[in-house]
Amino acid sequence: MKAITADAVGDAITLEIIESSLQAVSDEMFAALRKTAMSSIIYEVLDMGTGITDGEGNLASSGAGIPSFVGVLDKAVKRIIELHPGDIRPGDVFVTNDPFYGGVTHLNDAVLAMPVFADGELVAWTANIAHWSDVGGMVPGSISTDAREIFQEGLRLPAVKLIAEGKPLEPVLAIVEANSRLPDFLRGDLWAGIAAVRVGERRLLELVTKYGAATFGDALRVSFDRGEQAARRALAELPTGRFSLEEEQDSGAVYRVTLELGEDELVVDLRDNPDQDRGPNNLSRDGSVIAAQILFLNVTDPHGPANAGSLRPLRVLTRPGSVFDASPPAAFATYYEVRMRLYDLMWRCLAPHLGERLPAGHFASICGTFIGGRHPDTGRHFTIVEPQVGGWGGFASRDGNNAMFSAIHGHTFNCPAEVAEARYGLYVDRLALSDEPGGEGEHRGGRGIVVDYRVRSDGCFLTCAYTRNKHRPWAVAGGREGSSNYVEVIRRDGTVEEYAVVTALEVNEHDVIRIHTGNGGGYGDPRRRPRELVLDDLRDGYVSDAVARTVYRLSGETTLTARPELR
């Protein structure tokens, strides 16, 4: 087919076709990774992301997957370009998992990136990121709340080549596998990621061949400009001002943010924050930028496509050596909770100033749960990696959502009980909506969950690091706070232990690990909630009889008169 000239990019139809094609390529990469991965955290939970950048690493397609993962990819590509000047060739595939080398998050999250050349010119990159269940380190699963430096957390892959001009670098692959307690799964997940970036390269070359490299490049630049214009128009409709908030965390640390909302720019100032954590509760600067980017898109264009242009009106200020811009050799294992806390802090800071645009606080924790040990049927080591769902805050116009993933961990699914029982040495005895008090309001917060994992063999372990345990999800306009995130370990002798943060706790056969995730905060005074809705909550199982009576007491009632079908 004859290539369209660069002038044709002025044709809106051509531009739309190229933009839509980029999204389709990202989605196909996502499907390839999902269908070929070995670990259920990838193929079931979808703890991954895919995307495309231009030749300079600017985000061209927001791709599919976890929003905070997609935001990693452009930053990783730019770091790879920086570290490999003159050494990027067709057929290369790079890998990085290190926050100081473009990995952004923690060592379990591996980024694979592949350059795309057309007629000798670097025109784009395909990239993906996925959670590898074990990359070595001091504990199984590679997540330890006791880590004090990144060297303790596992194998560091500092933006190195895995494949050079189409040929695998076998010594590098051998080093990667030798550092994992689950080498078979790691190998499968790694090659699934390689297959995905290769699929993306093939589809992009078809697109460039069809329209020409010049038209392709011009289309990306026009798309960036349109994204910027849309973001600035949305900013102009928001109230301007300088807003600040500080919030104590469960650890006792106080996080602070100042947001300066102008007519054409949002400035996020994080400089006045504690020094980096002595443990693994840290963010890289890029990780903090991603939290700000997600919030920025939430309040400007939550449903539109995101690219490098969409994010131009955002500026983030950090202080090197602080918890939001940690310096070597800082540990990062539980970075995800710090980013969640930062995102929620910014959300809470803006919510009172944006009318009814934002709901009350949600359970706001990844609630990452790591359980592993010897599989009772096969004798092989297993590790389950399971983020949990919880309740979202009430809105001005409706109740919050029940049992959803957190705001920075969307586009994922919980692992089905059948898969968990088949692949891991556990039974899933219960998965139900929580009936704990919390989140009452004119519009109640959504419900969290209760899930019971029953251990089937001795010598297993539990690791978790939940936040919003002491400081519960915040409410709006007179609503009630939500409930806490926590874990109970019910020993086989009946004793009960409670945790929010623990590393490699020994659990044995017949012990039950009971997960509780929080209800979202309520919106509005619960005394204004119609009685009919309280009874509907009771009938539908969203609240217990005790919770319904609590709401009635708040409204001044002393008795609960149920409908005939509830008596």
Side-chain angles (χ1 to χ4, degrees):
M1 181 179 292
K2 183 179 179 180
I4 300 174
T5 65
D7 292 340
V9 78
D11 179 357
I13 295 176
T14 302
L15 178 61
E16 290 293 337
I17 290 173
I18 293 175
E19 286 184 336
S20 297
S21 296
L22 292 175
Q23 185 65 53
V25 173
S26 293
D27 290 344
E28 186 174 355
M29 290 165 57
F30 189 86
L33 179 53
R34 178 183 188 180
K35 290 181 178 180
T36 55
M38 286 282 290
S39 299
S40 61
I41 184 65
I42 301 176
Y43 70 76
E44 287 288 352
V45 178
L46 307 185
D47 199 349
M48 59 178 179
T50 60
I52 296 167
T53 76
D54 67 6
E56 298 176 350
N58 299 303
L59 188 65
S61 167
S62 55
I66 299 173
S68 62
F69 266 14
V70 174
V72 168
L73 300 177
D74 58 333
K75 300 162 186 63
V77 169
K78 288 181 178 180
R79 185 71 167 130
I80 290 169
I81 294 171
E82 177 187 349
L83 293 171
H84 295 270
D87 190 28
I88 298 171
R89 297 179 175 86
D92 288 349
V93 176
F94 295 84
V95 62
T96 186
N97 70 341
D98 193 307
F100 301 117
Y101 292 87
V104 178
T105 57
H106 62 184
L107 298 184
N108 287 84
D109 298 331
V111 177
L112 294 167
M114 184 174 192
V116 180
F117 286 83
D119 298 326
E121 178 187 356
L122 179 57
V123 296
W125 288 76
T126 60
N128 62 63
I129 179 173
H131 183 103
W132 290 353
S133 295
D134 190 287
V135 290
M138 61 194 297
V139 296
S142 311
I143 303 294
S144 172
T145 60
D146 298 326
R148 294 294 177 263
E149 53 185 9
I150 196 169
F151 304 108
Q152 298 173 310
E153 297 183 315
L155 177 66
R156 300 174 68 185
L157 297 166
V160 296
K161 282 188 185 182
L162 272 178
I163 297 178
E165 299 182 87
K167 297 180 180 180
L169 299 175
E170 296 295 344
V172 179
L173 294 171
I175 290 171
V176 173
E177 290 183 26
N179 279 273
S180 175
R181 297 172 180 86
L182 300 167
D184 294 345
F185 286 89
L186 186 146
R187 184 188 307 115
D189 295 339
L190 183 153
W191 279 103
I194 293 171
V197 293
R198 284 175 164 173
V199 166
E201 181 210 27
R202 185 163 62 249
R203 294 291 180 255
L204 285 182
L205 287 176
E206 292 171 358
L207 188 64
V208 173
T209 299
K210 181 176 182 179
Y211 291 102
T215 298
F216 178 80
D218 287 344
L220 293 186
R221 286 186 285 274
V222 171
S223 179
F224 294 162
D225 290 342
R226 292 204 318 180
E228 179 182 4
Q229 292 164 7
R232 294 194 189 280
R233 283 196 301 269
L235 275 175
E237 297 175 358
L238 298 177
T240 59
R242 183 179 176 87
F243 314 112
S244 297
L245 182 68
E246 65 176 42
E247 182 183 71
E248 183 179 3
Q249 307 304 307
D250 289 349
S251 65
V254 177
Y255 292 170
R256 302 176 182 86
V257 66
T258 295
L259 301 170
E260 190 167 347
L261 196 55
E263 293 184 357
D264 64 352
E265 184 182 49
L266 173 62
V267 179
V268 178
D269 191 343
L270 302 174
R271 292 174 293 184
D272 185 20
N273 272 291
D275 291 341
Q276 63 195 53
D277 185 58
R278 294 181 62 248
N281 301 303
N282 291 297
L283 272 183
S284 64
R285 172 177 160 77
D286 282 340
S288 298
V289 169
I290 290 171
Q293 288 176 336
I294 297 174
L295 182 82
F296 180 78
L297 293 172
N298 288 164
V299 299
T300 55
D301 189 10
H303 304 295
N307 59 38
S310 308
L311 302 168
R312 286 173 184 166
L314 173 67
R315 188 155 53 98
V316 180
L317 307 176
T318 59
R319 177 175 63 85
S322 69
V323 68
F324 296 130
D325 188 353
S327 301
F332 288 88
T334 51
Y335 85 94
Y336 46 87
E337 290 298 329
V338 183
R339 185 155 67 190
M340 185 71 256
R341 299 273 51 78
L342 173 57
Y343 174 86
D344 196 47
L345 178 68
M346 293 186 290
W347 183 345
R348 187 175 186 178
C349 181
L350 279 182
H353 310 289
L354 297 184
E356 299 177 350
R357 185 183 294 259
L358 295 175
H362 67 312
F363 77 110
S365 175
I366 304 301
C367 291
T369 308
F370 306 84
I371 307 170
R374 181 185 59 82
H375 197 293
D377 300 329
T378 66
R380 298 181 64 184
H381 178 84
F382 76 90
T383 298
I384 180 173
V385 182
E386 183 77 352
Q388 306 293 343
V389 294
W392 277 57
F395 293 78
S397 59
R398 63 178 177 84
D399 292 340
N401 295 322
N402 303 308
M404 298 287 286
F405 281 104
S406 67
I408 66 168
H409 210 262
H411 296 271
T412 52
F413 297 94
N414 61 307
C415 187
E418 296 82 359
V419 173
E421 291 187 340
R423 295 295 297 270
Y424 305 116
L426 301 167
Y427 288 130
V428 183
D429 287 344
R430 175 169 61 157
L431 176 58
L433 290 176
S434 172
D435 62 1
E436 288 197 9
E440 295 82 16
E442 182 179 4
H443 295 107
R444 62 167 175 79
R447 314 309 297 175
I449 62 164
V450 181
V451 57
D452 285 358
Y453 297 113
R454 180 152 49 93
V455 182
R456 296 178 54 206
S457 57
D458 289 339
C460 292
F461 74 89
L462 163 69
T463 294
C464 67
Y466 294 7
T467 55
R468 282 277 178 249
N469 171 258
K470 297 178 181 177
H471 298 281
R472 299 183 295 172
W474 45 275
V476 171
R480 299 297 188 267
E481 288 184 336
S483 59
S484 298
N485 301 307
Y486 64 100
V487 179
E488 290 178 307
V489 176
I490 305 169
R491 301 293 184 178
R492 53 188 167 193
D493 64 1
T495 59
V496 180
E497 304 162 14
E498 184 175 318
Y499 301 94
V501 178
V502 69
T503 292
L505 176 73
E506 183 174 333
V507 288
N508 295 296
E509 186 176 8
H510 301 307
D511 289 345
V512 173
I513 300 168
R514 178 167 294 165
I515 311 298
H516 297 263
T517 66
N519 303 330
Y523 199 115
D525 192 329
R527 290 174 292 187
R528 297 178 59 185
R529 186 169 180 81
R531 298 183 187 183
E532 294 79 9
L533 290 181
V534 176
L535 291 169
D536 285 345
D537 291 343
L538 181 58
R539 180 194 62 200
D540 295 338
Y542 290 141
V543 298
S544 66
D545 179 79
V547 173
R549 292 180 189 279
T550 298
V551 175
Y552 265 65
R553 284 198 303 274
L554 290 170
S555 64
E557 296 284 345
T558 57
T559 60
L560 173 63
T561 303
R563 292 177 179 176
E565 65 268 26
L566 297 176
R567 290 174 180 165

